[in-house]
Amino acid sequence: MNLPKKLLDLSPVQGSYCLVERNKVNDLYREAGFDLDAEEIPNFLKVDGADCLFTENFVEKDGKEYEIIMIANGFSWEDILVYDEDELEDE
């Protein structure tokens, strides 16, 4: 996939994205050992060794709902995510 040069020039890191059917996302979290009823679950997981950010943004295609999942390329989401100060105060 050819990425737009302008975006590549502006971006310090690159990755890819996938659309994953909403109910399959829950399966990925279960496979990673998370209880979906837990109060807090991370928005990033390793899937087959790749750092994946679950955006909680959804799109519809062919009558099914999909979550946009961003896959890191050579970096860790945990290392670069920025949290709102309100989120930090709650911890």
Side-chain angles (χ1 to χ4, degrees), residues 33-64:
F34 289 97
D35 176 6
L36 298 177
D37 294 328
E39 195 169 303
E40 289 188 35
I41 57 172
N43 60 344
F44 54 89
L45 295 175
K46 279 203 183 287
V47 179
D48 291 341
D51 262 332
C52 299
L53 177 67
F54 292 74
T55 66
E56 298 181 22
N57 289 299
F58 299 91
V59 295
E60 188 176 315
K61 181 176 180 352
D62 300 328
K64 293 184 180 178

Side-chain angles (χ1 to χ4, degrees), residues 20-35:
V20 176
E21 198 171 341
R22 193 172 201 158
N23 64 336
K24 301 295 183 190
V25 168
N26 292 340
D27 294 342
L28 292 172
Y29 272 92
R30 282 188 202 93
E31 288 171 15
F34 289 97
D35 176 6

